[in-house]
Amino acid sequence: MSYSDKMKTMYQEQLETIKNAGIFKEERYIHSSQAADIEVEFPTGSDLKKVINMCANNYLGLSSHPDVIKAAHTGLDMRGYGMSSVRFICGTQDIHKELESKVTEFLGTEDTILFPSCMDANAGVFEALLTSEDIMISDRLVHASIIDGMRLCSAEHDTFKHSNMEHLEQKLQLHQNKRIKMVITDGVFSMDGDIAKLDEMADLCQKYDALLFVDDSHASGFIGKTGRGTHEYCNAIGKIDIITTTFGKALGGASGGCVSGRKEIVEMCRQKARPYLFSNTIAPVVVSGVLEVFNILSGNTERRDKLEKNSDYWRKGLSEAGFVLKDGDSPIVPVMLFNAKLAQDFSKDLFAEGIYAIGFFFPVVPNGQARIRTQISAGHEIHHLDKALEAFIKIGKKYEILGLTKQEIIAKYGL
Ligand SMILES: *Cc1c(COP(=O)(O)O)cnc(C)c1O
């Protein structure tokens, strides 16, 4: 036995430290399908509680859509359960190619390659395209999976201040002599819900001969007039060289991701991206479900339109009630509480009122920026939003924060 008492004690102490810091993450078990109304066992062992889900990435309400479920069943019957192989050996079906074409058409790119997840897409893409002669210049708030992907790549790395175009330009000038310069950003930033300035970034990339990379996981399917993503919202379709995104959020919510963009770039990923070469891709049952999601979305824009209406309604309601929000034009609406304990207590009280929304605090968001991140869905009806609003206001009154400014909340609760 090599797991000595010394090691055991060491890990026990580390876990204790996490608990004492108040940042120990606990799962809440859901006993129903993902939807606006869910049944949750929390704390573990307690009776099931019916609550409104305000923190899923189920933006379009498609996670349990009957047509998607039916398509998944059909896919299971027609193409089986598992591939038992990676793509380039014997793990590619006709439907994988069909999905790649669908995504290419939807995003308005040249080609697409599927990955087991967007985390894997981001883990593979940089190392496949860049060498130590190159530079990656990323926004300081990019998603953790991009940070990990950059760590796996031998290119140099630099950052620019969040959405600060002057700073980005300085960095592009500084690194002008590199072979390839790649500017890297999220489309919608997941914690704040703000949208990258892709039009300006595309112009800067043009001016300084740089590639532009966008992770549109929190945008694909619903941001922009027809839901293509932040490149549509920013009038930059055709100007983004590399888009990564996930099927695990708005696009059915099961799993899978992709790299979409310039033809040669996608082909390079097919030759060199390690999570593509050495890990099974998306299972046939999920591919069939995602294909149906694209069918639904190509028919009309009803769902993204409803999502937009719901998001506006929710933002307006909270704002009129006197909460401090982060500005934005997405279904991610952070209710700012600043103090970590207040965010946790607020979340607990919401749950007691039948509203499921999680508190976020350091290290997930910067110190002193604790919040409840709410996420709106086309699966919400107005009655869901009204009930949630009522609960937020009730608890806001309990903690006497309605109408207070950021400074006043901080003065009252500290950081
Ligand atoms: C959720 C998310 C991912 C990870 O997606 P998976 O397909 O679940 O791995 C990657 N990037 C961003 C920006 C995300 O929000």
Side-chain angles (χ1 to χ4, degrees):
M1 197 181 76
S2 57
Y3 190 50
S4 65
D5 283 349
K6 195 173 149 199
M7 287 182 209
K8 190 182 169 86
T9 310
M10 181 186 81
Y11 286 124
Q12 280 173 344
E13 281 169 5
Q14 287 184 21
L15 288 166
E16 213 44 48
T17 307
I18 295 173
K19 279 184 190 154
N20 292 338
I23 53 175
F24 193 82
K25 290 183 256 329
E26 266 180 280
E27 293 172 341
R28 304 178 178 198
Y29 307 148
I30 302 177
H31 289 243
S32 54
S33 308
Q34 186 62 276
D37 296 297
I38 51 174
E39 288 183 52
V40 181
E41 171 191 342
F42 189 76
T44 306
S46 60
D47 289 341
L48 295 189
K49 189 171 168 67
K50 199 179 154 191
V51 294
I52 297 172
N53 194 349
M54 299 298 290
C55 56
N57 299 313
N58 183 18
Y59 295 114
L60 293 170
L62 291 172
S63 304
S64 307
H65 190 285
D67 292 350
V68 177
I69 292 172
K70 193 166 155 229
H73 276 294
T74 308
L76 189 57
D77 290 340
M78 305 289 287
R79 293 291 180 279
Y81 172 70
M83 290 309 303
S84 304
S85 169
V86 298
R87 283 287 292 275
F88 81 95
I89 300 179
C90 56
T92 300
Q93 286 176 331
D94 56 340
I95 55 173
H96 291 108
K97 294 314 289 180
E98 194 185 335
L99 180 55
E100 289 178 339
S101 312
K102 269 266 158 71
V103 174
T104 302
E105 188 194 323
F106 187 78
L107 296 179
T109 51
E110 295 174 10
D111 200 1
T112 300
I113 171 176
L114 302 179
F115 279 84
S117 69
C118 188
M119 174 108 195
D120 284 313
N122 289 339
V125 63
F126 303 113
E127 173 63 7
L129 299 174
L130 305 174
T131 71
S132 54
E133 294 175 69
D134 307 321
I135 179 92
M136 306 176 283
I137 308 174
S138 64
D139 187 287
R140 286 190 183 160
L141 290 190
V142 292
H143 191 258
S145 60
I146 294 178
I147 294 171
D148 286 4
M150 293 189 296
R151 281 184 187 145
L152 292 170
C153 175
S154 58
E156 268 184 55
H157 179 220
D158 202 350
T159 61
F160 60 98
K161 290 179 198 159
H162 177 53
S163 274
N164 185 322
M165 295 299 109
E166 291 81 56
H167 200 217
L168 171 58
E169 182 155 20
Q170 283 170 23
K171 290 299 172 87
L172 281 165
Q173 283 165 353
L174 180 67
H175 299 294
Q176 206 151 14
N177 294 331
K178 291 286 179 192
R179 189 187 66 146
I180 298 175
K181 299 168 280 289
M182 190 189 284
V183 174
I184 297 163
T185 185
D186 288 17
V188 171
F189 288 86
S190 54
M191 284 303 141
D192 290 356
D194 58 324
I195 295 176
K197 299 169 184 157
L198 293 188
D199 42 353
E200 292 177 54
M201 295 175 92
D203 288 346
L204 283 173
C205 286
Q206 177 89 34
K207 183 171 168 190
Y208 292 95
D209 196 20
L211 291 174
L212 183 50
F213 169 105
V214 179
D215 180 338
D216 235 3
S217 289
H218 280 282
S220 297
F222 57 97
I223 296 288
K225 249 185 2 277
T226 64
R228 309 289 150 145
T230 52
H231 58 326
E232 182 179 37
Y233 181 91
C234 296
N235 277 320
I237 287 185
K239 293 184 182 173
I240 315 297
D241 303 295
I242 304 154
I243 298 173
T244 62
T245 193
T246 182
F247 308 123
K249 291 190 168 102
L251 302 174
S255 68
C258 66
V259 173
S260 193
R262 308 288 177 205
K263 193 166 174 297
E264 298 72 20
I265 285 176
V266 170
E267 194 53 48
M268 281 298 283
C269 289
R270 235 179 262 287
Q271 300 307 316
K272 292 183 72 182
R274 295 170 70 86
Y276 172 85
L277 293 174
F278 300 115
S279 185
N280 280 12
T281 192
I282 312 170
V285 53
V286 175
V287 173
S288 305
V290 183
L291 278 169
E292 180 56 27
V293 165
F294 280 108
N295 261 345
I296 293 171
L297 297 189
S298 63
N300 59 64
T301 59
E302 230 170 74
R303 288 190 165 262
R304 59 93 38 217
D305 296 345
K306 182 175 175 194
L307 173 62
E308 193 168 62
K309 269 204 195 117
N310 279 354
S311 304
D312 291 348
Y313 184 84
W314 177 245
R315 198 176 272 283
K316 186 158 173 277
L318 286 174
S319 170
E320 283 175 3
F323 285 101
V324 178
L325 308 178
K326 281 257 181 194
D327 284 339
D329 196 8
S330 79
I332 299 173
V333 185
V335 180
M336 300 306 293
L337 298 169
F338 309 103
N339 175 289
K341 182 164 188 312
L342 179 61
Q344 271 172 304
D345 292 346
F346 205 105
S347 169
K348 252 186 228 141
D349 289 350
L350 281 173
F351 193 77
E353 296 290 329
I355 307 301
Y356 188 169
I358 296 289
F360 285 89
F361 39 87
F362 186 79
V364 180
V365 294
N367 232 332
Q369 290 210 35
R371 66 194 66 184
I372 306 274
R373 181 182 67 171
T374 60
Q375 290 170 283
I376 301 305
S377 168
H380 287 131
E381 302 300 336
I382 293 296
H383 69 84
H384 291 117
L385 302 180
D386 283 341
K387 183 167 178 224
L389 201 54
E390 205 177 292
F392 265 88
I393 292 171
K394 179 172 170 185
I395 296 154
K397 280 183 182 153
K398 171 178 167 185
Y399 292 105
E400 299 179 335
I401 56 161
L402 294 183
L404 297 194
T405 62
K406 170 181 174 176
Q407 285 71 25
E408 288 166 339
I409 296 174
I410 293 172
K412 197 174 174 87
Y413 287 95
L415 282 181

